[in-house]
Amino acid sequence: MPRPTSDVQACEAHAADADLDDLRARLTAARLPEAETVCRAAPGPRRWEQGVPLADLVDVVTYWRTGYNWRSFEERLDRIGQFRTTIDDLGIHFLHRRSPRTDAIPLILTHGWPGSIAEFIDVVDELADPKDADAPAFHVVVPSLPGFGYSDKPATTGWGTERIAAAWVELMGRLGYSTFAAHGGDWGGNITTVLGGRFPAHVLGIHTLFAEAPPGLSTEGLTAVERKWTEETRDFWRHRAAYAKQQATRPQTIGYSLVDSPVGLLAWILDKFAEWSDTEDSPFETISMDRVLDNVTLYWLTRTGASAARIYYESHNSLDPELRVDVPSAISMYPRDIEKCPRPWAQERYRQIVRWKSPEVGGHFPSLEVPEYFVKDLQEGLAAVLAAHR
């Protein structure tokens, strides 16, 4: 079994008690606005038309202050295995769970925004050591994006998705994995596409939730469902993507609030978990409040609200229109994700789609919303990828 190089060091997570005390004090002293002015008589998406409803926020803040246990999350990270290495003068943090199976394949999972490594902690064990002996097994690597979590914050511009993908190849090489599979959604999907397109000598194949077609394609010949996907995606970018424009153009400005106010940070992130999940009203219909707070508290304790937002400044609309992915690709389009790409469009970039899946349930965060299905879909998708590669 390959062993890490000396450039990789084990680490542990442990927030100072003073930082946790300060968080609770800030939550206690929070100043909140009045309630929203839209209909809120019954559960439903209309309650969220102006953003996070006051009553919902108060409930989460109360639990965050009085019931949530950050130490439990730290312990889970330590059990999986945490490491750091320096690549291109930037410290990169990652989880690494080796499989006991001799036939395991290296796999890198990349998160997006407003997610983090917290998205994957419930699926790492099953991917590494599946209960089904016939399912593929993986040596799982889950890095924190630059400026996210326990990775360092870039001090200069230039850490866009192309550079991150190159760093991931270097990271996997240091772990002894000269070839590997890759998965991602959101920014992780973008990075996974770059990995497959730029580094075919290292990438066995990819599984992505975020297929990105080249620009300028026609809707002619699309099915009614595919046309609906394009209309929904266009509507999203026209009417519901102000957060992305803000972070792509003025990440420093919003960053002051995200780093200074835990309630502001919570609302900014919770809004996306609510809108982008496959639920009728609250994200907590499918995602536990603890897991959302693991994610938000990680942002808070590492003070990464501004540095994480800068990935939009570095990479918004930056995917090379000419980039093509020739390695085997498995693509899943969850029904409530914010961008869904028709297969005919995807085929213009991904030249060897070996599995295409349109699940019946799930949104932007399937590893949290439908973790058992997510694992099965990822296993089956990567099994098809590996079969095609051989």
Side-chain angles (χ1 to χ4, degrees):
M1 180 179 292
R3 297 193 62 81
T5 69
S6 59
D7 297 324
V8 175
Q9 303 296 326
C11 63
E12 292 186 347
H14 190 79
D17 288 337
D19 287 338
L20 297 176
D21 291 341
D22 174 70
L23 171 58
R24 283 187 286 268
R26 288 171 182 259
L27 294 173
T28 300
R31 297 199 315 170
L32 302 176
E34 66 284 354
E36 61 283 358
T37 58
V38 294
C39 174
R40 51 187 188 276
R46 283 200 60 201
R47 291 198 315 117
W48 295 75
E49 282 186 358
Q50 294 182 0
V52 182
L54 177 63
D56 297 64
L57 188 75
V58 168
D59 286 345
V60 181
V61 168
T62 299
Y63 179 69
W64 198 6
R65 181 173 56 84
T66 63
Y68 170 71
N69 182 7
W70 167 255
R71 297 299 185 201
S72 175
F73 180 67
E74 288 184 330
E75 291 166 3
R76 293 194 68 176
L77 295 182
D78 290 341
R79 285 198 300 271
I80 293 171
Q82 299 190 87
F83 301 86
R84 279 180 60 89
T85 191
T86 300
I87 300 175
D88 205 3
D89 296 323
L90 193 77
I92 299 296
H93 166 269
F94 61 96
L95 305 178
H96 187 197
R97 169 80 155 84
R98 290 191 184 274
S99 173
R101 292 250 301 261
T102 58
D103 62 343
I105 300 297
L107 170 64
I108 190 166
L109 307 176
T110 309
H111 68 82
W113 184 95
S116 68
I117 56 172
E119 289 184 54
F120 297 118
I121 67 168
D122 290 326
V123 302
V124 167
D125 287 344
E126 182 61 21
L127 290 171
D129 191 12
K131 300 180 184 69
D132 181 358
D134 294 327
F138 304 96
H139 301 303
V140 184
V141 179
V142 187
S144 297
L145 289 170
F148 288 69
Y150 295 115
S151 283
D152 286 357
K153 304 175 180 69
T156 61
T157 58
W159 274 98
T161 52
E162 292 269 351
R163 190 173 181 182
I164 294 170
W168 281 189
V169 174
E170 174 68 20
L171 169 61
M172 296 300 274
R174 291 185 187 184
L175 297 176
Y177 304 140
S178 59
T179 59
F180 56 92
H183 160 83
D186 196 273
W187 284 112
N190 184 298
I191 292 163
T192 297
T193 294
V194 176
L195 280 169
R198 299 285 189 224
F199 303 97
H202 296 280
V203 179
L204 300 170
I206 67 171
H207 182 281
T208 183
L209 313 179
F210 197 60
E212 296 182 83
L217 299 181
S218 170
T219 59
E220 185 176 349
L222 298 184
T223 66
V225 170
E226 290 170 337
R227 284 176 180 271
K228 187 170 184 285
W229 284 6
T230 65
E231 291 166 2
E232 290 172 346
T233 299
R234 185 166 54 247
D235 178 78
F236 171 80
W237 283 110
R238 284 181 176 176
H239 303 296
R240 297 184 288 132
Y243 76 96
K245 297 299 184 183
Q246 174 69 32
Q247 295 187 159
T249 58
R250 292 294 189 271
Q252 190 72 13
T253 300
I254 189 64
Y256 294 113
S257 298
L258 300 180
V259 172
D260 185 63
S261 168
V263 172
L265 175 68
L266 170 64
W268 191 246
I269 291 177
L270 182 59
D271 182 84
K272 304 312 168 201
F273 273 86
E275 186 180 12
W276 300 351
S277 298
D278 188 7
T279 56
E280 294 301 318
D281 179 65
S282 166
F284 305 124
E285 294 167 26
T286 57
I287 306 174
S288 75
M289 192 175 293
D290 280 323
R291 197 59 71 241
V292 171
L293 287 175
D294 289 340
N295 184 66
V296 175
T297 308
L298 180 60
Y299 274 87
W300 175 258
L301 292 172
T302 56
R303 304 184 183 192
T304 48
S307 56
R310 290 191 193 108
I311 194 171
Y312 287 80
Y313 179 88
E314 297 288 352
S315 299
H316 200 48
N317 295 327
S318 69
L319 189 64
D320 182 357
E322 303 303 318
L323 181 68
R324 296 296 181 267
V325 178
D326 292 319
V327 300
S329 303
I331 299 172
S332 294
M333 295 280 110
Y334 281 84
R336 284 288 297 275
D337 208 342
I338 56 178
E339 290 192 63
K340 294 186 288 293
C341 178
R343 181 167 184 165
W345 287 11
Q347 289 172 169
E348 294 297 318
R349 188 186 298 274
Y350 305 87
R351 304 289 188 84
Q352 192 183 169
I353 298 177
V354 297
R355 183 175 181 269
W356 179 276
K357 192 72 173 177
S358 299
E360 294 183 0
V361 296
H364 193 67
F365 308 97
S367 60
L368 296 175
E369 298 175 60
V370 286
E372 291 183 1
Y373 180 89
F374 170 81
V375 168
K376 185 173 183 292
D377 179 57
L378 183 54
Q379 289 170 333
E380 292 178 354
L382 290 176
V385 162
L386 296 172
H389 189 271
R390 295 189 187 102

